């Protein structure tokens, strides 16, 4: 799918999608039906008003045509827009979508739906012409042209069930991915690999090296038909237990444990600590540089400190070491600072400027850096003990058959810290007459997961911020097939093992009239059939999408 700008005047962006994905042509034995949804206005960056949108569908039997039955196309649109019935003329089925009044696009998405399309028998690419009546102001509307391209794959083409053998691998372990697909050119894109990896005819692929962090995979299938290259992609991801972590900015809300060295990549960079830097357990904090620790600003030590080597104060004869409490040597011995006789301080010791420690130093109590002050390291800072970026799975829940949450009895939880929510779902997909999907709703977005035919399973991983809520529920049609569904959810907190805050697994669902914010619960969504039945196409839910113009009024 793609968006093609015919000229530089149109104001609105268009993004097409099809159902099924990919769209297949009919055969002599069976007519394939499908639908095309065109999302209008997503990601708009300029001011635009629109009074109507016209879509022209090529009618005919060629590769450049979508259907031979233009009059049979059903139409629908988002609330507030009225579609016309298709008017077939001059080799096109023409449909006009008109709002109740001119609409200003400010980021909202309007969906234009063409369904019940009897796809013709010739594979290829189809260009749907679009004419928008638009204006940068609410007036002086003019026609502007654009087009969207729809790929028609050969009859019987299959590309599905792209998933890893294991949703989580050990750090450094290779992942193995499998899929089902017809003959095509397959290319795998993964991680930060700059170019895709061409694959042979096998439908299984192990990564050439082990994974060290959460990795996304995109598999592209290409077929040449009707003089065009048809492309379809599937995506999945694999998580890594105790992954390597590379970030630009990192904020850790809770304790963090490092099991190995922590290095600053540039000696000019600062390590800033608003609170305390401590050694693990009762172990002291050690700075392993042979030259010791150089402090360019004030050093405040609130607990006992032990220096195993000399502590040098450089400067003139008037340079002062001030201690508000006591600065003592070990036991009854005097404190020595570069003097054979040592230095004994009977009053307090206060350090107003830099403290340079040329030799080894041991602090057997807390070292605290005041808020707004900086603790700098010219080389690596080493910590004794383990440091952990991801906590162990703090929450795991499995729903066996007959118990997977539904929309009226959904699972609702809140992330106590940043982390990743992962899951696996199986379902009755593939049973004739049944449709299945799992919805994960968070941050104002619906993430729909379709499980493959049993015994396969679908997996998902979604990052959550601290305080972000998530709702999970399954939709099965007919509902009696819910007994075949299972669901497992895993919560991986970042920084510490904080349990997922579960609010409800049986609260009443909000209604479509409930005001929805970015953290509000989900509303009922249109249920789109995953397998196209031979006898008819299910109608859109009247609560969330306008009925096709030739559909009966809801009773």
């Amino acid at each position: 799918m793609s968006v093609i700008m015919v000229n530089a005047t149109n104001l609105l962006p268009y993004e097409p999608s099809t159902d099924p994905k990919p769209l297949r042509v009919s055969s002599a034995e069976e007519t394939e039906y499908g639908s095309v949804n065109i999302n209008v206005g997503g990601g708009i960056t300029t001011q635009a008003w629109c009074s109507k949108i016209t879509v022209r569908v090529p009618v005919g039997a060629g590769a450049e045509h979508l259907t031979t039955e233009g009059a049979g196309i059903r139409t629908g649109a988002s609330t507030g827009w009225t579609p016309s019935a298709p008017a077939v003329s001059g080799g096109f089925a023409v449909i006009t979508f008109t709002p109740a009044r001119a609409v200003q696009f400010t980021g909202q998405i309007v969906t234009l739906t063409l369904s019940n399309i009897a796809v013709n028998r010739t594979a290829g690419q189809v260009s749907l012409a679009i004419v928008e009546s638009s204006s940068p102001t609410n007036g002086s509307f003019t026609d502007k042209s654009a087009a969207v391209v729809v790929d028609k794959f050969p009859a019987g083409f299959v590309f599905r069930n792209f998933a890893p053998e294991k949703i989580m691998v050990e750090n450094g372990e290779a992942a193995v991915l499998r899929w089902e697909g017809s003959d095509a050119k397959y290319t795998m894109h993964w991680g930060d690999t700059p170019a895709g990896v061409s694959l042979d005819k096998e439908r299984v692929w192990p990564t050439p090296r082990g994974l060290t962090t959460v990795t996304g995979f995109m598999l592209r299938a290409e077929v040449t038909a009707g003089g065009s290259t048809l492309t379809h992609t599937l995506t999945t991801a694999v998580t890594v237990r105790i992954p390597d972590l590379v970030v630009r900015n990192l904020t850790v809300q809770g304790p963090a444990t490092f099991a190995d060295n922590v290095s600053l990549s540039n000696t000019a960079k600062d390590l800033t600590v608003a609170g305390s830097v401590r050694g693990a357990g009762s172990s002291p904090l050690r700075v392993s540089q042979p030259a010791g620790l150089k402090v360019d600003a004030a050093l405040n030590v609130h607990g006992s400190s032990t220096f195993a080597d000399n502590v040098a104060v450089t400067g003139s004869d008037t340079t002062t070491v001030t201690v508000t409490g006591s600065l003592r040597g070990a036991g009854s011995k005097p404190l020595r600072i570069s003097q054979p006789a040592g230095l004994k301080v009977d009053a307090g010791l206060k350090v107003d400027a830099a403290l340079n420690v040329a030799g080894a130093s041991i602090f057997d109590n807390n070292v605290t850096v005041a808020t707004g002050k900086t603790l700098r390291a010219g080389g690596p800072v080493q910590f004794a003990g383990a440091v952990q970026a991801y906590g162990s799975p703090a929450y795991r829940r499995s729903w066996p058959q007959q118990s997977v949450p539904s929309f009226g009895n959904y699972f609702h939880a809140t992330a106590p810290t940043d982390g990743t929510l992962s899951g696996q779902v199986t379902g009755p997909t593939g049973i004739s007459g049944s449709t299945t999907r799992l919805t994960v709703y968070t941050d104002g977005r619906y993430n729909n997961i379709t499980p493959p035919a049993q015994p396969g399973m679908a997996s998902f991983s979604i990052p959550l911020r601290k305080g972000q809520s998530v709702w999970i529920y399954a939709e099965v049609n007919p509902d009696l097939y819910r007994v075949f569904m299972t669901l497992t959810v895993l919560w991986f907190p970042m920084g510490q093992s904080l349990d997922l805050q579960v609010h409800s697994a049986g609260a009443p669902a909000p209604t479509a009239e409930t005001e929805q914010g970015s953290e509000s619960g989900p509303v009922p969504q249109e249920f789109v059939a995953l397998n196209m039945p031979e006898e008819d196409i299910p109608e859109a839910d009247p609560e969330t999408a306008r009925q096709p113009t030739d559909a009966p009024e809801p009773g």
Side-chain angles (χ1 to χ4, degrees):
M1 296 297 166
S2 63
V3 179
I4 299 176
M5 297 303 181
V6 175
N7 55 53
T9 63
N10 58 295
L11 303 179
L12 300 176
Y14 301 86
E15 182 179 4
S17 62
T18 66
D19 183 25
K21 296 180 181 179
L23 194 66
R24 294 183 294 269
V25 299
S26 300
S27 64
E29 295 78 19
E30 182 179 5
T31 299
E32 289 281 349
Y33 288 87
S35 62
V36 177
N37 294 314
I38 303 175
N39 288 335
V40 185
I44 189 170
T45 58
T46 59
Q47 188 171 7
W49 295 75
C50 182
S51 60
K52 68 177 179 180
I53 297 175
T54 299
V55 180
R56 294 165 56 86
V57 180
V59 175
E64 72 277 15
H65 303 120
L66 184 58
T67 180
T68 59
E69 303 174 18
I73 297 175
R74 297 178 183 174
T75 59
S78 297
T79 302
W81 288 70
T82 301
S84 69
V88 180
S89 176
F92 291 91
V94 181
I95 301 101
T96 300
F97 299 84
T98 308
R101 59 180 180 274
V103 173
Q104 182 182 15
F105 281 83
T106 58
Q108 80 278 21
I109 294 177
V110 171
T111 300
L112 313 179
T113 300
L114 309 175
S115 61
N116 197 45
I117 301 172
V119 186
N120 68 16
R121 299 182 184 181
T122 308
Q125 282 187 337
V126 180
S127 178
L128 305 185
I130 296 174
V131 178
E132 65 181 50
S133 180
S134 61
S135 170
T137 62
N138 190 11
S140 300
F141 292 92
T142 59
D143 289 345
K144 303 171 183 65
S145 299
V148 295
V149 173
V150 175
D151 290 342
K152 299 181 300 176
F153 280 75
F157 181 81
V158 173
F159 183 33
R160 62 195 178 195
N161 295 342
F162 177 48
E165 287 187 349
K166 295 192 298 183
I167 189 175
M168 177 181 291
V169 297
E170 297 293 328
N171 193 311
E173 179 183 357
V176 178
L177 298 102
R178 297 180 180 273
W179 67 95
E180 297 177 29
S182 303
D183 288 341
K185 176 185 176 182
Y186 292 99
T187 305
M188 184 74 73
H189 300 264
W190 64 295
D192 57 358
T193 304
V197 179
S198 298
L199 307 180
D200 54 23
K201 294 184 178 180
E202 296 296 328
R203 301 300 184 256
V204 59
W205 181 74
T207 57
R209 60 179 182 270
L211 305 185
T212 59
T213 188
V214 177
T215 305
F217 297 87
M218 182 181 74
L219 180 62
R220 185 177 74 243
E222 294 181 0
V223 175
T224 301
S228 301
T229 299
L230 313 180
T231 302
H232 188 62
T233 60
L234 296 176
T235 60
T236 189
V238 177
T239 59
V240 174
R241 195 176 73 86
I242 312 179
D244 295 352
L245 189 62
V246 179
V247 298
R248 182 177 180 86
N249 297 300
L250 177 63
T251 300
V252 181
Q253 300 292 343
T257 302
F258 297 87
D260 209 329
N261 296 338
V262 177
S263 301
L264 298 180
S265 59
N266 190 312
T267 55
K269 300 300 181 181
D270 294 335
L271 174 62
T272 303
V273 180
S276 302
V277 178
R278 303 182 178 92
S282 59
S283 299
L285 175 66
R286 299 183 181 275
V287 180
S288 59
Q289 286 282 21
L293 174 66
K294 181 180 179 181
V295 181
D296 293 325
L299 175 64
N300 296 324
V301 181
H302 293 286
S304 300
S305 300
T306 301
F307 296 86
D309 208 329
N310 296 334
V311 177
V313 178
T314 60
S316 65
D317 293 341
T318 60
T319 301
T320 304
V321 177
T322 303
V323 180
T324 56
S326 298
L327 182 62
R328 303 184 179 92
S332 59
K333 295 180 180 180
L335 176 66
R336 298 181 183 274
I337 302 179
S338 302
Q339 291 282 345
L343 173 66
K344 182 178 181 182
V345 180
D346 294 326
L349 175 63
K350 181 180 180 181
V351 180
D352 292 325
L355 174 63
N356 296 325
V357 181
S361 300
I362 298 176
F363 296 84
D364 61 7
N365 211 325
N366 297 338
V367 176
T368 302
V369 179
T371 302
K373 302 302 180 180
T374 302
L375 175 63
R376 294 186 175 90
V381 177
Q382 296 183 340
F383 296 83
V387 176
Q388 184 172 306
Y390 270 97
S392 300
Y395 182 87
R396 177 189 176 98
R397 172 101 183 239
S398 295
W399 287 268
Q401 292 181 347
Q402 306 186 49
S403 66
V404 174
S406 64
F407 180 77
N409 188 33
Y410 53 74
F411 174 77
H412 176 205
T414 299
T417 185
D418 293 356
T420 301
L421 185 71
S422 299
Q424 295 177 328
V425 60
T426 64
T429 304
I431 300 178
S432 178
S434 70
T435 52
T436 306
R437 75 178 176 196
L438 182 76
T439 297
V440 181
Y441 174 84
T442 185
D443 205 23
R445 295 188 179 185
Y446 295 86
N447 303 282
N448 296 319
I449 299 98
T450 301
Q454 291 183 338
M457 66 175 60
S459 60
F460 62 90
S461 292
I462 297 179
L464 296 178
R465 303 182 305 275
K466 178 181 179 181
Q468 185 173 346
S469 292
V470 63
W471 290 259
I472 300 177
Y473 59 92
E475 296 176 89
V476 184
N477 185 20
D479 192 71
L480 62 91
Y481 286 118
R482 186 180 300 277
V483 300
F484 296 102
M485 291 193 72
T486 65
L487 172 64
T488 298
V489 172
L490 293 171
W491 162 244
F492 300 93
M494 182 177 289
Q496 57 184 327
S497 297
L498 288 180
D499 204 357
L500 194 65
Q501 298 172 1
V502 178
H503 303 300
S504 173
T511 65
E513 290 74 21
T514 303
E515 181 178 355
Q516 297 296 311
S518 62
E519 285 302 318
S520 298
V523 298
Q525 295 295 294
E526 176 180 350
F527 195 90
V528 179
L530 304 178
N531 297 305
M532 302 305 296
E534 298 178 357
E535 63 276 11
D536 201 357
I537 302 299
E539 298 295 341
D541 188 337
E543 290 294 327
T544 57
R546 182 174 296 278
Q547 292 286 339
T549 56
D550 55 348
E553 291 295 326

